[in-house]
Amino acid sequence: MCGRFVITSAPAALRQLFGYIEQPNFPPRYNVAPTQPIPVVLAEKDARHFRLMRWGLLPSWVKDPRGFTLLINARSETVLEKPAFKNAIRRRRGLIPADGYYEWKATDGRKQPFFIHRADGEPLGFAALFETWVGPNGEEVDTVAIVTAAASGDLAGLHDRVPVTISPRDFERWLDSRGDEVDAILPLMIAPRIGEFAWRPVSTRVNRVVNDDEQLLLPISAEEMEAEAEAARPKKSARKVAAGAGDDGQGSLF
């Protein structure tokens, strides 16, 4: 799955790569989390556009969003059948600019976070599906989910799911939904090739959404990982037993 990601490239560089006509200026983000507004690139009226959408797709048919769990990911294997995604995959496909994402690997009963990025350091585009939810009073909320695929090769050692990333040469094919056909984009919803991505362990500070700084991307050593694990372990408190008459000072269980 993909539950946190990073956007650090300069706005001008992302605009040039994705080709949208707007000129947004936004700060780097080191810990983007679900329910937050995130950038989405979409095709509309023969041009690409930049929009902010809430991460966590809300299908248009939902009556009360308070009783519906936001969908942050869409499984590529089932997007054609799932009611929440089957219309969006045909008509509302987008790209989410990013520079990498975080994944957690279970190790010795704890979860160690890793920062995953393209091995060549270039930005990437997550495959995304979006919907506009309209409330009873006419309010509109644009929402989005990241498409994921089964992990394979090297990335499978970290997690069994990975976000689908679209190559720049395939941006146009993924965004073009004018024909309401999906055959052309189905081959794009696959895991990255072996060696395409690299990763490194990072601090568990990323676990807290309030932490959003460049220090989160720094690699940590095995010693630092162990120190964080030790700090997270619950501390045992010594049981105090009052010494009674005739007690030798060692205490008693009875």
Side-chain angles (χ1 to χ4, degrees):
M1 64 173 295
C2 180
R4 302 280 181 85
F5 68 93
V6 172
I7 311 173
T8 55
S9 290
L14 292 178
R15 180 173 183 260
Q16 181 177 15
L17 176 62
F18 288 90
Y20 44 81
I21 62 177
E22 292 78 10
Q23 300 185 47
N25 187 22
F26 47 88
R29 293 291 311 281
Y30 300 93
N31 199 5
V32 182
T35 74
Q36 295 178 347
I38 62 174
V40 179
V41 180
L42 55 91
E44 188 176 73
K45 298 180 180 178
D46 298 322
R48 295 182 192 174
H49 296 274
F50 174 103
R51 288 191 188 163
L52 290 177
M53 298 186 184
R54 186 173 66 176
W55 185 9
L57 187 138
L58 190 61
S60 58
W61 41 261
V62 170
K63 300 299 182 182
D64 186 355
R66 293 173 298 181
F68 187 86
T69 301
L70 295 180
L71 306 169
I72 66 170
N73 292 158
R75 296 174 69 93
S76 60
E77 300 90 339
T78 57
V79 290
L80 293 178
E81 294 82 31
K82 291 290 185 179
F85 305 122
K86 65 180 182 180
N87 290 326
I89 188 62
R90 293 181 178 277
R91 304 183 183 91
R92 289 174 287 279
R93 297 189 294 269
L95 293 165
I96 297 174
D99 287 272
Y101 66 101
Y102 298 104
E103 194 55 83
W104 282 257
K105 179 181 180 180
T107 304
D108 298 329
R110 62 186 179 86
K111 291 187 176 181
Q112 173 62 47
F114 288 80
F115 175 59
I116 305 168
H117 57 93
R118 282 185 56 93
D120 58 12
E122 292 297 312
L124 51 92
F126 293 139
L129 307 177
F130 62 90
E131 285 283 3
T132 299
W133 181 80
V134 180
N137 298 318
E139 66 272 26
E140 296 185 356
V141 181
D142 292 328
T143 63
V144 64
I146 295 173
V147 181
T148 67
S152 60
D154 46 5
L155 286 172
L158 294 180
H159 198 275
D160 61 351
R161 305 293 298 180
V162 293
V164 171
T165 54
I166 305 297
S167 169
R169 67 175 178 272
D170 294 317
F171 282 177
E172 187 65 27
R173 179 155 53 131
W174 175 258
L175 293 175
D176 185 6
S177 57
R178 290 171 295 183
D180 194 26
E181 298 294 335
V182 296
D183 290 346
I185 58 94
L186 292 180
L188 301 180
M189 294 191 292
I190 58 176
R193 301 184 305 274
I194 293 177
E196 187 175 352
F197 278 69
W199 56 89
R200 58 179 179 266
V202 294
S203 171
T204 53
R205 289 184 62 244
V206 73
N207 295 353
R208 300 190 64 204
V209 176
V210 294
N211 295 325
D212 189 354
D213 56 76
E214 59 187 358
Q215 301 296 314
L216 297 179
L217 303 184
L218 295 179
I220 64 172
S221 65
E223 292 76 12
E224 290 170 320
M225 283 191 285
E226 180 56 35
E228 288 191 340
E230 180 62 30
R233 293 189 183 104
K235 300 297 185 293
K236 295 181 179 180
S237 57
R239 181 181 177 186
K240 294 182 179 179
V241 180
D247 196 333
D248 61 4
Q250 297 302 309
S252 173
L253 294 178
F254 307 98

